[in-house]
Amino acid sequence: MLELTKLNHHQLEAVTAPDGSILVVAGAGTGKTRVLTTRIAYLIEHMGYDNNKILAITFTNKAASEMRTRVADMVNNAYVPWIGTYHATCLKILKEDINYIGRKNNFSVIDDEDQLSILRDIYKNGGIVQKDIKPKKALEVIEKVKMGYIQLDAINSLDKAKDLGIYKFDELKNAKYINRMYNQRLLSANLLDFNDLLLLTYKLLSEHGEIKQKWQQAFDYILVDEFQDTNELQFDILNLLINQQKKNIFVVGDPDQTIYTWRGAYPNIFKDYLAEYKNTKTFILDLNYRSTNNILKVANTLISHNNDRIKKDLTTNNADGNNVVFYKGDSDYREANYVAKQIIGLTKNKSYAFKDIVILYRAKYLSRSIEQELINNNIPYYVFGAVRFYQRREIKDLVAYLKLIVNPMDELSLKRVLNVPSRGIGNITIDNITKYANEQHISFAEAFYLTSKSEFDPPWQKSSIAQFISMIDSLITTTKDKTIVEVVHQIIKTIKYDDHIKSLDLAEERLENIEEFIKSIEEFESKRDTHSIEDFMHEISLYTDNDDNANRDRNAVSLMTIHYAKGTEAKVVFIIGLNEGIFPSIKLNRENDIEEERRIAYVGVTRSMEKLYLTCNVGFSPMSGSQLNVSRFIKDIGHKNLREEESEMISISNADLSWYNSKEIETFEDNYNEKIVDFKVGDVIAHTVFGSGVVIGINGEMLDVAFKAPFGIKSLIKNHKAIKRLKN
């Protein structure tokens, strides 16, 4: 039975609106899914529409399945067959009528793995190796070419190719060959990829009027969910499917949540819709059921700084709730430590469970310092949509090289990087070495290093391996007295790792991860007067062990990018890294990029139900080589809407630091107090040279203390007279 009494006034207006074009601008947490499914049920039960002639488009198969179930629950188990994604809808249409554009109806649709399998054959037959162009990179180019209607063979300059992520002529030549052979292979085998489903449906409907008319008559009513994520091609297909006499269309979306322009979505989709359907009735859903009033005040103020938007302010009947907290630390350690401490406090009295808490960030590399602090404080967590920081491919590669410098016989590390970047050491060579090692009852590494012996005549190709061994020997020699950071830079330069990374998919993200890795080493080195690669390996082993434990522990804090978080909600949300150049991102190329960054921030804020923490740090950034600044989004929100907290630094003057002067000390023992203070992590101390700081680690008689810039983290002896505890 269809129940309408639970709808609020604006929801009811949209659900019961008469025929014609309808736009529902649905703010975050305003019940858009309920409105869309109830509208379908209302069309069937109260307006007499045939459930077989209703088309409802969603963006995931899961959403389609849930929508179909909810409609059936509302209206006598009514089954609506045409609920699905754009791709699923196009597939059904093509199965019936693809023959009109010269293709056979018994085509098959290939997935990502099928695409890679086809590319492997093309690489093999064309003599292309992966170092020339990675298969995933080639697939990205193929998709951009298809969806952008680009004539790749006509591109002859790198200037025009850079939009495809191509920066070398050899790469361009290979991309052209792969693209041509890929499409020929699909055509000859009667295969379609996901992009073809959209492109060929558009071709069919736009070139064959009788087929367009057939499908327009097949649907009396069309509904679209998450309309802000619709790209131009999908909108063109939608317009070709709509009966132009009736123009019965119902779209639901939020222009303030348009955050997928890199996938083809565009903010002007709502303007284009209103221009196409001039008699549209617009309904705005602004009653939020998710968040407290204070959280919505922050969200509304933030997004109001975007221009040329459909204006709406979210309201709620919920309580004001806690003030939104803005924390400014003086280092990323302190920012991460603050988040960890708040989580401990929130869960200590079981007010919240770990699973009630989500940590959001703009870019994946920002998870590194947070992960370390969660582990240090025994807080279970899981990273959604990404592997953990020290498990990422590029980090594991560099760690493997570091391990080989310490121990060239480290077999796991050797096998990982002996062909990274590619040196022509293939699987056959590795199999031959393994076979020889087994026959001689020696390890793989021992057999491998025999290759460099002049008297040894191996049953495998020698030159590439000898060059690798020589390179490792050289790295061991040239990095002997260098810092770990210098060693990493030397490795990257020697193996030309930057060039290798640029040939991979997600190159920019990987380069950011490497910068963050170097930063983590700098932090490690700043904590100790003496340090070694072995010490660092032991340190990060704490962050790579037991990765599966957090997966299995359902009661865990969730970490994810804001893009991944869209569609989710949590009682407690932390948004970290609110710094200029981080969030908003430094990669602002177009005038409207800042508006998209602000929309991303808005989506993050509106995930929160009860408590919201916004954090940043104003320490030194190795990436930019300068001091970090607070994000402009904090200014947009306004300090009056925030409860502000800062690092636990106590302001002290030079006069306050006069209790100890090393020049007045007569003997070495006079530098130290007889009584050793029982310091704890988190204690605030003062030092006569470095000023105020916070204890972040205790190692026997030594304290690791974080001071303000430019001093950073220092290791100090507990009972030295230059130290005084200010706050416990």
Side-chain angles (χ1 to χ4, degrees):
M1 180 67 181
L2 180 58
E3 179 60 69
L4 300 177
T5 58
K6 294 182 180 179
L7 300 175
N8 67 43
H9 175 67
H10 290 149
Q11 290 174 333
L12 184 62
E13 280 189 324
V15 164
T16 59
D19 286 340
S21 170
I22 295 170
L23 168 62
V24 180
V25 179
T30 58
K32 71 172 182 60
T33 303
R34 173 187 289 183
V35 167
L36 193 64
T37 52
T38 309
R39 175 64 174 180
I40 296 171
Y42 188 82
L43 290 173
I44 297 168
E45 186 166 296
H46 289 275
M47 298 180 72
Y49 278 90
D50 183 347
N51 47 293
N52 294 300
K53 300 191 76 174
I54 294 173
L55 169 63
I57 295 175
T58 67
F59 271 80
T60 66
N61 291 317
K62 180 183 177 183
S65 177
E66 289 175 355
M67 189 178 295
R68 195 176 290 113
T69 300
R70 290 173 71 166
V71 172
D73 289 341
M74 290 180 189
V75 189
N76 301 322
N77 292 318
Y79 178 70
V80 182
W82 286 90
I83 296 179
T85 63
Y86 276 105
H87 291 92
T89 301
C90 290
L91 174 60
K92 287 183 178 181
I93 291 171
L94 291 175
K95 277 294 184 184
E96 283 198 34
D97 293 323
I98 197 172
N99 56 294
Y100 282 87
I101 52 174
R103 303 289 290 265
K104 296 178 182 177
N105 295 72
N106 63 342
F107 64 84
S108 297
V109 181
I110 60 173
D111 60 18
D112 294 348
E113 284 302 314
D114 297 326
Q115 288 180 299
L116 289 172
S117 178
I118 291 170
L119 257 57
R120 280 192 286 270
D121 287 345
I122 294 171
Y123 275 55
K124 184 177 179 181
N125 296 333
I128 300 172
V129 294
Q130 288 201 23
K131 70 175 182 178
D132 294 332
I133 181 169
K134 289 287 180 182
K136 286 188 177 180
K137 175 73 170 292
L139 284 177
E140 287 176 14
V141 172
I142 289 168
E143 179 174 3
K144 287 178 181 177
V145 168
K146 279 190 178 186
M147 300 305 286
Y149 301 98
I150 298 168
Q151 297 299 317
L152 183 57
D153 286 336
I155 295 178
N156 296 310
S157 73
L158 291 180
D159 187 54
K160 292 181 179 178
K162 67 182 180 182
D163 289 339
L164 298 172
I166 295 173
Y167 304 98
K168 298 177 182 177
F169 277 111
D170 284 347
E171 196 174 35
L172 178 59
K173 185 180 85 171
N174 285 312
K176 287 181 178 181
Y177 173 79
I178 294 167
N179 182 65
R180 186 165 57 252
M181 297 306 297
Y182 173 84
N183 287 307
Q184 285 179 12
R185 174 75 176 271
L186 263 59
L187 186 63
S188 62
N190 199 24
L191 302 173
L192 273 61
D193 62 24
F194 275 19
N195 293 318
D196 290 328
L197 292 175
L198 300 178
L199 288 165
L200 295 183
T201 300
Y202 177 75
K203 179 179 175 66
L204 172 68
L205 297 174
S206 61
E207 294 180 0
H208 296 272
E210 72 280 15
I211 302 301
K212 178 179 74 172
Q213 187 176 18
K214 166 189 169 180
W215 287 105
Q216 285 183 353
Q217 291 174 352
F219 305 121
D220 289 335
Y221 211 102
I222 296 178
L223 306 95
V224 184
D225 193 12
E226 300 285 8
F227 189 62
Q228 75 278 352
D229 295 335
T230 300
N231 64 37
E232 291 185 64
L233 178 58
Q234 291 165 339
F235 187 46
D236 289 341
I237 292 170
L238 197 62
N239 290 331
L240 290 168
L241 289 173
I242 292 170
N243 187 310
Q244 293 301 309
Q245 280 72 47
K246 297 179 180 178
K247 293 189 176 180
N248 286 331
I249 179 169
F250 185 100
V251 302
V252 182
D254 184 3
D256 289 332
Q257 296 189 67
T258 305
I259 63 172
Y260 290 109
T261 58
W262 48 279
R263 287 185 186 171
Y266 64 112
N268 287 334
I269 183 74
F270 291 87
K271 277 188 177 179
D272 289 354
Y273 177 82
L274 292 171
E276 184 74 25
Y277 302 98
K278 299 187 186 301
N279 296 319
T280 294
K281 300 178 187 69
T282 300
F283 300 94
I284 294 180
L285 305 185
D286 54 11
L287 182 60
N288 177 284
Y289 293 92
R290 176 186 297 158
S291 306
T292 64
N293 194 47
N294 282 330
I295 291 170
L296 294 185
K297 190 186 297 181
V298 165
N300 291 330
T301 308
L302 172 66
I303 201 63
S304 69
H305 290 269
N306 273 8
N307 300 314
D308 199 22
R309 53 183 283 268
I310 299 175
K311 190 177 184 308
K312 69 176 187 310
D313 279 334
L314 296 176
T315 62
T316 185
N317 294 325
N318 296 333
D320 285 348
N322 298 96
N323 290 324
V324 174
V325 176
F326 170 53
Y327 173 81
K328 181 172 65 177
D330 54 13
S331 68
D332 63 346
Y333 158 76
R334 207 175 299 280
E335 180 184 7
N337 183 255
Y338 172 81
V339 172
K341 281 186 175 180
Q342 297 308 307
I343 292 172
I344 291 170
L346 290 165
T347 56
K348 189 174 183 180
N349 298 319
K350 298 186 178 179
S351 301
Y352 293 94
F354 290 122
K355 65 183 177 181
D356 296 328
I357 301 169
V358 172
I359 301 172
L360 302 178
Y361 34 81
R362 177 65 181 85
K364 292 177 183 176
Y365 75 89
L366 294 168
S367 74
R368 196 269 308 171
S369 57
I370 290 291
E371 287 188 60
Q372 290 187 189
E373 277 308 295
L374 295 179
I375 291 169
N376 290 343
N377 288 278
N378 297 313
I379 297 171
Y381 73 95
Y382 180 64
V383 182
F384 284 85
V387 294
R388 294 185 168 202
F389 184 81
Y390 288 103
Q391 293 297 306
R392 292 168 189 171
R393 172 179 177 173
E394 54 278 10
I395 307 304
K396 293 194 78 170
D397 285 348
L398 293 175
V399 167
Y401 274 105
L402 285 171
K403 287 182 176 179
L404 285 178
I405 289 173
V406 174
N407 176 20
M409 303 301 288
D410 184 326
E411 196 162 301
L412 285 176
S413 296
L414 176 63
K415 286 183 175 180
R416 179 175 183 88
V417 298
L418 60 85
N419 207 33
V420 177
S422 178
R423 302 180 177 90
I425 305 174
N427 290 331
I428 294 175
T429 299
I430 294 170
D431 290 343
N432 286 335
I433 296 172
T434 303
K435 181 180 177 183
Y436 179 84
N438 291 337
E439 290 171 351
Q440 300 299 316
H441 303 290
I442 59 177
S443 70
F444 175 90
E446 288 173 310
F448 182 87
Y449 284 108
L450 280 174
T451 307
S452 63
K453 306 295 183 184
S454 58
E455 69 276 11
F456 184 62
D457 184 23
W460 56 80
Q461 194 270 347
K462 188 172 182 177
S463 61
S464 296
I465 293 177
Q467 288 172 11
F468 177 84
I469 294 170
S470 175
M471 179 195 69
I472 295 297
D473 287 342
S474 175
L475 283 171
I476 292 170
T477 303
T478 59
T479 61
K480 190 173 182 181
D481 297 318
K482 292 186 175 182
T483 66
I484 307 172
V485 169
E486 290 170 337
V487 174
V488 172
H489 281 301
Q490 183 67 42
I491 291 168
I492 291 170
K493 180 180 178 182
T494 300
I495 67 175
K496 298 180 180 177
Y497 197 62
D498 280 355
D499 290 340
H500 171 65
I501 288 296
K502 288 173 184 176
S503 71
L504 303 177
D505 57 305
L506 305 174
E508 287 188 5
E509 183 179 305
R510 295 182 191 280
L511 289 171
E512 286 177 341
N513 288 337
I514 291 171
E515 291 285 351
E516 186 68 15
F517 177 60
I518 292 170
K519 181 180 175 183
S520 74
I521 300 172
E522 289 174 340
E523 290 178 1
F524 170 80
E525 291 185 312
S526 72
K527 291 179 183 179
R528 294 166 173 79
D529 294 328
T530 60
H531 39 71
S532 65
I533 294 174
E534 296 100 308
D535 292 335
F536 181 64
M537 293 299 107
H538 292 149
E539 173 99 352
I540 66 172
S541 69
L542 297 173
Y543 308 126
T544 55
D545 286 347
N546 301 319
D547 275 356
D548 288 336
N549 288 344
N551 276 341
R552 290 190 291 267
D553 188 350
R554 297 177 64 87
N555 186 26
V557 174
S558 299
L559 277 66
M560 64 188 80
T561 65
I562 295 176
H563 281 95
Y564 194 92
K566 189 168 177 289
T568 65
E569 60 183 31
K571 291 180 180 179
V572 182
V573 171
F574 292 85
I575 303 178
I576 66 169
L578 278 159
N579 291 95
E580 280 296 306
I582 296 176
F583 197 5
S585 170
I586 198 170
K587 303 167 190 171
L588 300 178
N589 300 315
R590 300 165 307 191
E591 192 175 327
N592 61 351
D593 280 354
I594 186 60
E595 298 219 340
E596 173 141 358
E597 290 291 304
R598 194 175 281 111
R599 289 194 295 271
I600 296 169
Y602 173 80
V603 168
V605 168
T606 54
R607 299 311 92 197
S608 179
M609 300 168 70
E610 297 177 10
K611 289 180 178 287
L612 175 63
Y613 297 82
L614 310 175
T615 73
C616 72
N617 83 81
V618 289
F620 181 80
S621 168
M623 290 189 186
S624 65
S626 61
Q627 200 84 7
L628 288 166
N629 293 314
V630 176
S631 169
R632 72 187 75 180
F633 296 153
I634 298 301
K635 182 180 178 182
D636 289 347
I637 291 167
H639 294 280
K640 66 180 181 180
N641 293 321
L642 301 168
R643 177 165 64 82
E644 300 190 36
E645 298 182 9
E646 293 193 37
S647 297
E648 293 179 324
M649 289 298 192
I650 294 177
S651 178
I652 53 181
S653 66
N654 290 334
D656 296 328
L657 304 175
S658 60
W659 71 84
Y660 166 82
N661 186 343
S662 60
K663 293 179 181 178
E664 298 174 355
I665 301 301
E666 294 182 4
T667 66
F668 178 78
E669 289 75 15
D670 289 338
N671 285 297
Y672 301 94
N673 295 308
E674 291 184 14
K675 183 180 179 181
I676 297 177
V677 178
D678 184 21
F679 288 101
K680 295 182 176 61
V681 172
D683 284 354
V684 180
I685 65 108
H687 188 278
T688 54
V689 175
F690 306 131
S692 66
V694 176
V695 177
I696 63 172
I698 300 173
N699 302 299
E701 300 305 311
M702 303 297 291
L703 298 176
D704 291 335
V705 183
F707 294 99
K708 284 186 176 180
F711 300 114
I713 298 172
K714 301 289 182 183
S715 289
L716 307 171
I717 297 174
K718 278 183 180 179
N719 63 332
H720 199 287
K721 288 183 178 179
I723 300 172
K724 182 183 289 185
R725 181 160 63 190
L726 301 180
K727 179 181 175 184
N728 185 250

